Amino acid sequence: MSALPFTALACPLDGAPLQRQAVSLRCPEGHCFDLAAQGYVNLLPVQNKRSRDPGDSKEMVAARRRFLEAGHYKPIADAVAQAVLACAVPGRTLTCLDAGCGEGYYLRQLAAAAAEARPLALAGLDISKWAVQAAAKRDLQDARSQAGASASAAPSTTWIVGSNAGLPVLPATLDRVLCMFGFPVYPEFARVLRRGGELLQVDAGPDHLRELREVIYPTLKPERPASRSAPPGFKLLGTDSLRFQIHVDGTAAIADLLAMTPHLYRATAEGRARAAALSALTMTVDVRLARYQRLTD
């Protein structure tokens, strides 16, 4: 991939453009945000936090990293990368934000899938500082490895602690926004996308991890029908369903999967105990990929 700087960041306090100055980002009003040693920046003002340490915990992030790096969700990453790059103009920079990036797995897979003729400017944002820290650390390690451990190496992606409720991104600057099993805030997504830009949203389908849910819950609730209408500010370009089987071997790997899902907290102690007793499990992965295009004003 030909990585280019992501230059669309906005000050979370006044919305003005942020410019890089040494190891900080500054806006014209003088608001300053320091880059962490791992290469990420915290653009989540304390007054916008709903808790002291919002988002996924350090343990949840580590569990997700182990599970995803085992390749279980690689077909999802491949489908997303194909959708992102399908209509990209060769040679033109494609600017993409993963809104709820976690530990960066899907952006790394997107970067690996992009050819040199399709330069990318990538940013990953998450409300969990542990997730962003892990993503930036991995990115920096990869950059230094490619550069021969050069001290001047820098992450290829811009990593941001922030919230989808107030994206620290300039209006109408992005070609793509990804929302992977996350919390979509459609007015914000519409605000930061260019005219004709696309939102790619991945959500769980009705049979997603059904076999695990049958173990941890006494009964399964009926699934709500998926909405077929586009959110305000968008038109629906199309939806695709992706289904495949995965086999997870070992109690530790099953525990990692449970830890990275909402089911860890929704299940009773008895349900979690039943999952902990499993040594292997074959499950259905069932996801829906929806593509929305930002409407013109």
Side-chain angles (χ1 to χ4, degrees):
M1 181 199 76
S2 177
L4 295 175
F6 185 92
T7 58
L9 290 180
C11 177
L13 300 176
D14 60 22
L18 286 174
Q19 299 292 334
R20 175 78 177 264
Q21 294 183 9
V23 293
S24 300
L25 297 174
R26 289 181 179 272
C27 78
E29 294 298 318
H31 300 128
C32 181
F33 306 90
D34 293 335
L35 294 169
Q38 295 89 347
Y40 70 92
V41 62
N42 192 329
L43 298 180
L44 181 62
V46 65
Q47 62 267 30
N48 292 350
K49 291 184 178 182
R50 294 185 177 180
S51 66
R52 183 176 181 180
D53 193 14
D56 291 345
S57 67
K58 192 174 185 178
E59 293 74 22
M60 292 175 68
V61 170
R64 181 177 289 107
R65 175 183 56 78
R66 290 189 295 264
F67 182 85
L68 292 176
E69 289 188 352
H72 296 299
Y73 281 7
K74 182 67 160 54
I76 301 175
D78 290 343
V80 169
Q82 182 178 3
V84 168
L85 299 172
C87 297
V89 178
R92 178 180 172 183
T93 301
L94 188 77
T95 304
C96 177
L97 169 73
D98 187 348
C101 65
E103 49 67 67
Y105 173 76
Y106 293 103
L107 279 185
R108 288 196 299 274
Q109 296 299 313
L110 171 60
E116 288 296 324
R118 289 177 174 171
L120 301 179
L122 301 177
L125 175 143
D126 203 284
I127 201 169
S128 166
K129 69 176 181 181
W130 304 112
V132 174
Q133 187 179 88
K137 184 177 180 180
R138 168 66 183 271
D139 195 1
L140 186 59
Q141 288 173 344
D142 291 346
R144 286 176 174 169
S145 176
Q146 295 174 6
S150 169
S152 62
S156 60
T157 297
T158 297
W159 301 103
I160 311 149
V161 178
S163 170
N164 287 358
L167 294 173
V169 177
L170 296 172
T173 53
L174 304 183
D175 299 300
R176 303 285 188 273
V177 170
L178 306 181
C179 186
M180 307 291 300
F181 303 102
F183 299 94
V185 182
Y186 297 114
E188 277 295 279
F189 294 167
R191 180 184 66 82
V192 300
L193 280 166
R194 295 187 176 103
R195 293 181 180 180
E198 294 183 18
L199 164 65
L200 286 85
Q201 184 173 335
V202 173
D203 293 302
D207 291 327
H208 189 55
L209 305 181
R210 172 176 285 273
E211 295 81 1
L212 176 63
R213 291 187 285 126
E214 288 174 343
V215 169
I216 62 177
Y217 298 122
T219 58
L220 299 185
K221 295 180 180 179
E223 296 291 333
R224 295 179 180 178
S227 173
R228 302 207 176 262
S229 60
F234 292 92
K235 71 175 180 179
L236 179 64
L237 294 179
T239 61
D240 292 299
S241 294
L242 180 62
R243 291 173 60 97
F244 56 94
Q245 296 285 309
I246 60 173
H247 182 77
V248 180
D249 199 8
T251 57
I254 294 172
D256 282 345
L257 172 59
L258 187 58
M260 62 179 266
T261 71
H263 304 302
L264 177 66
Y265 301 103
R266 294 174 182 169
T268 63
E270 292 79 7
R272 293 193 295 271
R274 288 193 295 270
L278 297 171
S279 60
L281 187 62
T282 298
M283 286 167 285
T284 302
V285 173
D286 175 21
V287 299
R288 174 178 178 265
L289 171 59
R291 294 174 54 236
Y292 301 103
Q293 187 176 59
R294 183 191 183 279
L295 296 173
T296 58
D297 296 329

